[in-house]
Amino acid sequence: MSNVLIASIKADFKQRIRQSSFIITLLVMALLTVLFFPAPSADYQTLVINGYRGIYNSAWIGIFLASLNITLLPIICFYLVIKHHK
């Protein structure tokens, strides 16, 4: 029973990553990640909490990426689902 389930999961994963929308979503999120992390010397800030800017360490980058994914990934995926069903 578990071999059938594992084979089904593998087939579904392979089918999904072969779609062009998956690659486009990955590229858009990679581009947004680069734009969302300005250099420390940049004139703009993208995430400020109570007037403070975080230090670029693993904890701050994790919070940054989580907030980016929570806000933007559903919008992109919603657009792709609506586009696919038309």
Side-chain angles (χ1 to χ4, degrees):
M1 180 70 174
S2 76
N3 289 338
V4 174
L5 181 63
I6 292 172
S8 175
I9 291 170
K10 284 182 181 179
D12 182 55
F13 178 73
K14 287 179 182 179
Q15 178 184 6
R16 289 179 192 270
I17 64 171
R18 288 182 183 141
Q19 295 177 356
S20 62
S21 60
F22 179 79
I23 302 298
I24 291 170
T25 304
L26 284 180
L27 291 175
V28 167
M29 289 306 291
L31 176 67
L32 289 174
T33 301
V34 169
L35 295 175
F36 206 60
F37 283 105
S41 61
D43 293 336
Y44 68 98
Q45 299 174 358
T46 54
L47 183 60
V48 179
I49 299 175
N50 292 332
Y52 294 101
R53 180 180 181 169
I55 299 171
Y56 283 178
N57 58 17
S58 61
W60 183 251
I61 291 175
I63 291 171
F64 238 38
L65 287 177
S67 65
L68 177 70
N69 286 331
I70 287 171
T71 56
L72 297 177
L73 193 59
I75 295 169
I76 295 169
C77 292
F78 179 75
Y79 171 74
L80 291 174
V81 166
I82 296 299
K83 182 181 170 186
H84 179 70
H85 286 291
K86 282 187 177 182

